Structures are given as structure tokens and as C-alpha cells.
Amino acid sequence: MEAKLKNCQQCGKLFMARPREKICPACQDAEREMEPTVVNYVRDHPKCKVQDVLEGTGAPESLVRRLIREGRFEQLGVAFGYPCKKCGKEIYSGQYCENCLKDMQDGLHSVQTNITKNAEAARGHGMYSKDLQQQKK
């Protein structure tokens, strides 16, 4: 995989980023060091909101959101809600709610079915053409 020159989304410095990397190695290290502080804060303040975590720890919002998506706080009995990427419904893990996941799976299944039908029709049409050619001879 090819690295590209990018600006870090947290500190703004240029760095060579692999695909899906958004922050530089120094900021990644800082986030890893900050994770226990965030987790401990949430454990000690189970009724807190995301804004409370940000203010109480000084952690970047991207770190807190990532930890929420990964389900790190569920182990502590704390469930932070955040919006589904597709419909905005409140969810507690992953990126999409169950309904949106099902809709996407149904859509993929429909596309797959159409591709299969079209391929079969094309094969059938080709066979029909060959039969006509043989009949003409």
C-alpha cells in the first residue's frame, strides 16, 4: 500500500500516511497514552456525557469518538450514544444502526440478484443466436 503526504488532522504537521491514517505517528502515540486517562475518567464518572469527558480529560474528540465506536466503555457499563452515519439514529457501537445495515444488505442482495439474472439472460441470448445461425446453414 502506498503512503501519501498528508496534514495531520490534529496537529497540522505533514506526515507520510498509509491508507485510512488521519493523524501523524506523534499524535497516534499521544492518543494511545491518553486512552487510559479517558477510560478511567469514564469509569469514575459513569453518568458523564461526551462533552464532560472532553473537558475532564483534555482528550481530542476524535479519540473519545473512536473509543465509543470500538465499544471500550460498554465494558464499564457506560453506553454513550452517537448518530448512525446513514440515518442519524442513536447507536452505541459500530457505524450504522441495525435498520441501515439491513437496508444495505438487502440492497447488495438485490444488486447481486440483478447481476445474476442479467448474466443468465446474456448467456441465454448468446445461445439463441448460435441456434439461429445453425438453422440458417
Side-chain angles (χ1 to χ4, degrees):
M1 297 200 174
E2 205 170 297
K4 293 182 179 180
L5 192 60
K6 285 186 180 179
N7 285 88
C8 176
Q9 288 186 354
Q10 285 187 10
C11 70
K13 291 180 183 174
L14 284 173
F15 74 107
M16 293 302 292
R18 292 180 296 225
R20 295 193 216 142
E21 274 188 326
K22 296 180 181 179
I23 61 174
C24 69
C27 288
Q28 289 176 18
D29 291 343
E31 278 195 359
R32 271 192 291 281
E33 290 176 15
M34 174 124 348
E35 280 182 26
T37 303
V38 173
V39 171
N40 289 337
Y41 183 89
V42 172
R43 185 191 63 231
D44 295 341
H45 304 87
K47 302 274 188 216
C48 65
K49 305 276 186 230
V50 172
Q51 191 60 38
D52 299 332
V53 176
L54 298 175
E55 292 171 5
T57 63
E61 187 172 353
S62 60
L63 168 63
V64 176
R65 297 265 177 220
R66 180 176 55 80
L67 294 174
I68 292 169
R69 273 194 315 277
E70 291 174 357
R72 294 281 298 275
F73 303 123
E74 288 177 13
Q75 301 165 0
L76 303 173
V78 177
F80 286 109
Y82 55 96
C84 166
K85 278 191 167 183
K86 188 172 180 193
C87 72
K89 177 182 174 185
E90 187 173 43
I91 58 176
Y92 298 93
S93 64
Q95 296 183 32
Y96 302 99
C97 68
E98 289 182 28
N99 291 337
C100 288
L101 282 172
K102 184 174 180 347
D103 288 347
M104 288 186 280
Q105 288 170 339
D106 291 347
L108 287 172
H109 180 71
S110 175
V111 168
Q112 181 181 17
T113 301
N114 288 337
I115 289 171
T116 303
K117 284 181 183 176
N118 290 339
E120 289 172 359
R123 272 184 263 154
H125 182 65
M127 293 173 117
Y128 182 72
S129 296
K130 287 180 186 176
D131 290 342
L132 284 177
Q133 289 172 356
Q134 288 178 352
Q135 287 176 356
K136 289 181 183 178
K137 289 182 181 181

